[in-house]
Amino acid sequence: MSLAKSKYAKSLGQVLMPKCLQCLSSIISKRNLNLQEYQSKSLMREFKLNVQPFHVADSKKEVERICKIFPCDEYVVKAMILAGGRGKGKFLENGFKGGVKLTSDVKEVVDLCEKMLGKHLVTNQTTPEGVLVKKVMIAESYRIAEEKYFAIVMDRDMGGPVLVGSEQGGVDIEEVAASSPDAIFKIPVDILVGITDDQAAEAAQKLGFHSDAQREEAADQIQKLFHLFSRVDATQVEINPFGLTDKGRVVMFDAKINFDDNAEFRQKEIFSLDDRTLTDAKEIAAENAKLNYISMDGNIACVVNGAGLAMATMDIIKLHGGEPANFLDVGGSVTEQQMLEAFKIMSMDTKVSAIFINMFAGIVDCCIVANGLIESTKKLGLNVPLIVRLAGRNAEQALELLSSSGLNIISSSDFDSAAQQAVAAAKQ
């Protein structure tokens, strides 16, 4: 229950976002806040949203305590990791299958938790080594009679929040959009006014809740969800399924939440919950150094200043038969220390067989880049080919610094020839 990198986040973006913006947003790096399922549900519970009653444990002793105070007709026990496919996963140490289990036997709850805690769960979204399970969630199991889809998303084209929903829940929204586009409704909300009673009632009606009582409860939940959306600076809250239990109760069974990174300064409590267990260590290092970094599958590392130049650099590398290993944008005010950090990050990637530094200096001084590059090479003892293309402010002086450094650096002022040299060097 996190969002940011989930397939649901991507799918909803595909429904609402123009194709050109999809391409751009997939390249430009941004931080993704990852919350565990129990953290998201705790947040929803604070806003009085209907979620399953649950407790979280990190030890056998705590599980036993919970079982004494939490009687249920049926329990669902979930391993808490940030990866999908938990239900079909397998634990590395003991071979136990399934990170999501149902049981009506309270004694079995303890046994199930023992088999999960402290073990590595391997799913189709983890590495072969799996992810260590440090916590389990023990919740009351509800029987779902009907599944709906509902989301609130900040939409630029409509200039504010939009309510998005469908009677067809429990499946990927892009499947519904492709097969039955008319099954999805959208209700724009005035960001200055907020959601109205009429809009919440209209959404509940279109979601297909049957009785007046169900529609009233659904409308109330939609308004409370919008309150959460606004208060936590969310850019998207997706409920799938937004369900009806066999006892006629409206419940939000699973939620995916995206937060506005620019609001971190006023959402410090929420951002402090960020779970980085599945985040690439290189991306974390880049974030700490205030650099934009995205890892890719190739073997030519790219260091640039500016997202546009980054995309052009990756394009020309592929044009000449190479494959970029990363997107690393040092920005327009790069320092020598940031250049050192950039090289440290690239040295963490064992796939890299050549580094292409491509700078067009307007604000930044090429001499700063050159000095940073020379010092980084000496300090880190880099043993992969370095191809440097510098243009703009003090480019000639910077290229002279590189040529007189005594280091094995291939320098150029021509973009195309430098790219060809990078591709050739990576193939050696």
Side-chain angles (χ1 to χ4, degrees):
M1 191 187 269
S2 67
L3 201 31
K5 295 183 179 177
S6 80
K7 61 182 179 181
Y8 294 115
K10 294 178 182 175
S11 64
L12 186 56
Q14 289 164 358
V15 172
L16 295 176
M17 190 187 295
K19 188 62 104 178
C20 60
L21 290 181
Q22 290 177 37
C23 296
L24 185 59
S25 67
S26 68
I27 294 296
I28 297 176
S29 176
K30 65 170 288 187
R31 177 181 177 182
N32 293 307
L33 173 61
N34 298 306
L35 297 186
Q36 293 274 15
E37 180 178 354
Y38 75 90
Q39 294 171 323
S40 295
K41 284 190 173 177
S42 295
L43 182 61
M44 294 170 71
R45 194 161 57 182
E46 287 179 24
F47 285 83
K48 302 187 184 307
L49 291 163
N50 294 343
V51 297
Q52 295 158 280
F54 70 92
H55 292 270
V56 179
D58 58 7
S59 67
K60 179 182 177 181
K61 184 177 180 180
E62 181 64 12
V63 173
E64 291 172 338
R65 186 193 70 81
I66 290 169
C67 289
K68 291 177 181 177
I69 64 170
F70 187 46
C72 298
D73 291 336
E74 187 175 50
Y75 297 90
V76 56
V77 178
K78 294 185 177 182
M80 292 290 98
I81 65 168
L82 284 171
R86 288 175 295 170
K88 296 181 179 179
K90 184 177 180 180
F91 288 88
L92 196 63
E93 289 84 355
N94 55 19
F96 182 62
K97 293 183 179 179
V100 179
K101 292 292 186 179
L102 292 170
T103 181
S104 56
D105 184 353
V106 68
K107 294 180 181 179
E108 191 180 5
V109 172
V110 178
D111 182 56
L112 290 170
C113 291
E114 268 197 296
K115 291 176 179 177
M116 296 180 185
L117 284 170
K119 313 298 189 300
H120 291 78
L121 180 58
V122 181
T123 79
N124 59 359
Q125 292 188 14
T126 70
T127 64
E129 293 76 28
V131 179
L132 180 64
V133 177
K134 297 180 180 179
K135 295 179 185 291
V136 291
M137 185 174 77
I138 304 164
E140 182 177 357
S141 176
Y142 286 168
R143 300 294 180 180
I144 303 176
E146 295 181 17
E147 295 181 318
K148 324 287 185 182
Y149 174 93
F150 185 74
I152 305 171
V153 60
M154 193 67 74
D155 184 78
R156 291 184 180 181
D157 289 342
M158 295 187 179
V162 179
L163 312 182
V164 182
S166 174
E167 288 189 54
Q168 301 178 33
V171 296
D172 292 352
I173 191 63
E174 76 268 20
E175 293 179 9
V176 179
S179 61
S180 308
D182 293 338
I184 298 174
F185 67 83
K186 302 175 188 176
I187 303 174
V189 176
D190 188 327
I191 195 169
L192 298 177
V193 176
I195 191 170
T196 65
D197 292 345
D198 288 343
Q199 287 174 323
E202 180 186 356
Q205 176 75 33
K206 290 184 175 181
L207 284 170
F209 288 102
H210 306 295
S211 69
D212 290 343
Q214 290 171 6
R215 286 192 292 271
E216 184 177 336
E217 186 176 16
D220 175 69
Q221 288 292 291
I222 288 168
Q223 287 186 308
K224 288 175 178 174
L225 188 67
F226 189 88
H227 183 50
L228 179 151
F229 175 86
S230 302
R231 285 287 299 275
V232 304
D233 289 296
T235 56
Q236 177 178 308
V237 177
E238 183 182 43
I239 310 298
N240 192 22
F242 186 16
L244 189 67
T245 71
D246 57 354
K247 296 180 180 179
R249 190 181 181 204
V250 176
V251 176
M252 298 185 177
F253 285 94
D254 199 4
K256 313 292 180 182
I257 307 175
N258 280 355
F259 300 87
D260 184 353
D261 293 339
N262 296 313
E264 182 177 356
F265 71 97
R266 63 170 172 247
Q267 299 292 347
K268 292 180 180 178
E269 185 176 350
I270 290 176
F271 276 78
S272 69
L273 301 174
D274 194 7
D275 189 317
R276 311 303 294 275
T277 54
L278 291 184
T279 304
D280 188 329
K282 298 186 291 296
E283 292 183 13
I284 295 175
E287 182 185 313
N288 292 336
K290 301 187 184 305
L291 303 171
N292 293 318
Y293 177 89
I294 296 177
S295 183
M296 295 181 179
D297 295 330
N299 63 346
I300 302 175
C302 305
V303 184
V304 301
N305 61 327
L309 184 58
M311 289 186 282
T313 302
M314 291 185 289
D315 282 344
I316 201 167
I317 285 174
K318 291 181 74 69
L319 177 68
H320 292 300
E323 291 292 337
N326 68 272
F327 165 113
L328 202 162
D329 176 11
V330 297
S333 56
V334 63
T335 64
E336 291 184 21
Q337 181 61 35
Q338 282 181 308
M339 287 299 297
L340 175 61
E341 295 302 323
F343 277 93
K344 285 181 180 178
I345 292 164
M346 287 181 293
S347 66
M348 295 166 65
D349 191 341
T350 57
K351 302 190 308 295
V352 170
S353 55
I355 299 175
F356 183 21
I357 297 94
N358 185 19
M359 298 283 180
F360 184 84
I363 301 173
V364 69
D365 188 331
C366 283
C367 288
I368 292 176
V369 175
N371 285 323
L373 196 160
I374 292 168
E375 288 303 309
S376 300
T377 304
K378 290 178 178 178
K379 288 181 179 179
L380 299 176
L382 295 174
N383 56 7
V384 296
L386 298 177
I387 299 87
V388 183
R389 178 258 181 170
L390 299 175
R393 182 181 171 192
N394 292 331
E396 290 184 6
Q397 296 95 311
L399 290 172
E400 288 178 8
L401 285 172
L402 294 176
S403 63
S404 62
S405 67
L407 299 172
N408 184 21
I409 298 174
I410 303 170
S411 58
S412 174
S413 59
D414 182 72
F415 189 3
D416 189 62
S417 65
Q420 290 185 56
Q421 288 174 309
V423 173
K427 291 180 178 179
Q428 293 179 356

